[in-house]
Amino acid sequence: APPEMRLGEGMFVVRVVGRSMEPRIPDGSLNIFRAPVVGSRQGRIVLVKRPGGFEDSGGCTVKRYASIKRVTEEGWSHESIRMEPLNPEFPAFDLEPGDTVVAEWVRTLE
């Protein structure tokens, strides 16, 4: 980690492979993530694990979390949770039952 960065418990490094989060997260770059994700995930970049894996990803993917909520008399619930790439060349998709948000992205290492 960079000398100016204070590492905490639950932080780890992942090599992100693929172009879906470019330009913020370059293909092949090392990135720091923090687990667990605390508070609202809305708009955060997160690491998601899917049982059985994602195509060409080794079971995990990194995307921006976007929740659409429905408000009822009983409170609120998620209508859908979209996982959005930053690179418009790639499609967004809905989180599926069984998918787990593992951690949130902190930064890319140089």
Side-chain angles (χ1 to χ4, degrees):
E4 75 279 0
M5 183 171 191
R6 184 175 175 185
L7 296 178
E9 196 169 320
M11 296 178 110
F12 57 93
V13 175
V14 171
R15 182 173 306 277
V16 175
V17 177
R19 297 179 31 251
S20 70
M21 295 305 286
E22 288 183 342
R24 183 177 280 168
I25 302 176
D27 180 23
S29 63
L30 292 173
N31 293 267
I32 297 175
F33 286 84
R34 176 179 35 240
V37 181
V38 179
S40 173
R41 298 170 180 171
Q42 188 68 15
R44 293 188 192 189
I45 295 174
V46 296
L47 175 68
V48 175
K49 182 167 180 59
R50 175 171 283 172
F54 291 93
E55 292 179 26
D56 302 325
S57 72
C60 293
T61 190
V62 177
K63 300 287 182 280
R64 181 176 46 214
Y65 185 101
S67 170
I68 299 171
K69 295 178 176 80
R70 176 180 10 173
V71 179
T72 65
E73 291 179 8
E74 292 83 35
W76 65 269
S77 63
H78 290 287
E79 188 170 302
S80 69
I81 301 172
R82 293 293 282 171
M83 302 308 297
E84 301 173 335
L86 298 180
N87 184 338
E89 294 177 24
F90 294 84
F93 61 90
D94 287 336
L95 214 57
E96 295 181 359
D99 291 351
T100 305
V101 176
V102 176
E104 70 176 301
W105 177 79
V106 175
R107 68 178 282 183
T108 298
L109 296 171
E110 303 292 322

